[in-house]
Amino acid sequence: MQLCRCRNYEEISQRAAELLTAQLTWKKDSTLGLATGGSPVGLYRKLRERFAEGLVDFSEVKTVNLDEYRGLAPENPQSYRYFMEENLFRHVNIHPENTYVPNGLEKDTETACRNYDAVIQRLGGIDLQLLGIGRNGHIGFNEPSDHFSSGTHCVKLSENTIEANQRFFERREEVPTEAYTMGCGAILRARRILLLASGRDKAEAVHAMLYGTITPQLPASILQLHENVLVLADEEALGQ
């Protein structure tokens, strides 16, 4: 695992945009694993700017998102499909049929998870997977557990995660308690992984991910087993 120390969130976003631009220059038809939440917002802004300047092309790109809230329709402003449309997809020349997000409206969890794993397999796997890290060390919605999940699965969100996501909803009661998420095994099968970490509230999880024991109680620790992981972290996330 490689660590790149950045001064602040802006530098994280800039460096991440440069790396994704390089990835798409090298392989125009890359399959990107994308993330939501606060960590990649700056990156997506930088990519929109680069697209407007003619520096990056998404016409052959395919994307698979890490997760989606169970029970939310794509047009719901709090869904992750909506997040991706607003932050990236509708601003660039990516083809809508090449963007994939788990089906939050599929009530049968087995079907939803099986179908999403089939999509990733059909695309030939993920060339570059983008990740954030939760305060409890989750990646995607893989919460602390007694085991690492392999494929896409339905997870009950921890109180810690629900609390962190509450800021996006008017009332706590509106925050979904379940989500479909790509499993740790699927994440590890990505050819490259780029993790973004910003803020003092992430410092404990980042330190444990980098230097602690590999344990499902801190899902991000499994990234120590991957041969091509780059962590972009700012001074606060590194406890500095």
Side-chain angles (χ1 to χ4, degrees):
M1 196 181 302
Q2 292 181 293
L3 172 63
C4 177
R5 299 172 185 267
C6 301
R7 293 185 304 277
N8 50 38
Y9 180 75
E10 182 69 14
E11 185 178 350
I12 289 175
S13 301
Q14 178 64 34
R15 293 200 179 196
E18 291 168 358
L19 288 166
L20 261 72
T21 299
Q23 171 71 33
L24 299 185
T25 300
W26 171 66
K27 189 174 188 289
K28 292 184 178 181
D29 62 345
S30 291
T31 296
L32 303 178
L34 298 182
T36 53
S39 297
V41 169
L43 161 62
Y44 295 149
R45 173 172 49 82
K46 296 287 187 184
L47 290 175
R48 297 196 307 264
E49 293 170 357
R50 284 173 169 259
F51 172 74
E53 295 168 7
L55 300 177
V56 63
D57 176 24
F58 291 88
S59 62
E60 298 182 45
V61 172
K62 301 172 185 65
T63 67
V64 286
N65 261 75
L66 281 167
D67 38 39
E68 179 60 283
Y69 287 122
R70 187 179 184 213
L72 293 193
E75 60 272 14
N76 187 304
Q78 304 305 333
S79 75
Y80 287 150
R81 163 62 76 175
Y82 190 93
F83 175 99
M84 291 307 308
E85 294 291 343
E86 290 299 302
N87 283 277
L88 184 64
F89 294 160
R90 72 181 182 88
H91 302 281
V92 299
N93 64 334
I94 195 166
H95 296 292
E97 63 270 21
N98 288 338
T99 64
Y100 299 90
V101 179
N103 182 4
L105 292 182
E106 176 57 68
K107 295 182 179 179
D108 186 277
T109 58
E110 255 187 58
T111 299
C113 298
R114 182 176 62 249
N115 288 350
Y116 204 60
D117 285 337
V119 166
I120 297 171
Q121 184 175 8
R122 177 167 56 80
L123 294 176
I126 297 168
D127 292 302
L128 188 153
Q129 176 65 58
L130 179 67
L131 297 173
I133 182 171
R135 290 180 294 183
N136 62 0
H138 73 241
I139 47 176
F141 272 135
N142 291 283
E143 299 281 16
S145 176
D146 59 359
H147 68 284
F148 289 110
S149 296
S150 177
T152 303
H153 58 289
C154 183
V155 62
K156 292 187 181 298
L157 304 181
S158 70
E159 285 300 314
N160 188 299
T161 299
I162 292 172
E163 179 183 336
N165 292 341
Q166 185 178 345
R167 68 188 188 276
F168 301 115
F169 295 81
E170 289 187 9
R171 299 189 306 275
R172 182 182 174 86
E173 294 74 27
E174 296 177 357
V175 185
T177 59
E178 293 184 320
Y180 293 124
T181 188
M182 200 184 294
C184 289
I187 291 170
L188 280 187
R189 286 191 286 275
R191 295 172 185 91
R192 300 175 64 195
I193 295 175
L194 175 62
L195 186 142
L196 314 181
S198 175
R200 198 164 300 280
D201 62 334
K202 304 293 181 69
E204 186 175 341
V206 169
H207 187 273
M209 171 187 70
L210 292 171
Y211 308 113
T213 302
I214 298 174
T215 169
Q217 290 300 319
L218 193 115
S221 64
I222 200 172
L223 299 178
Q224 295 179 31
L225 299 176
H226 197 284
E227 62 182 12
N228 196 349
V229 178
L230 175 61
V231 177
L232 298 181
D234 64 17
E235 294 175 355
E236 288 193 344
L238 294 172
Q240 298 176 348

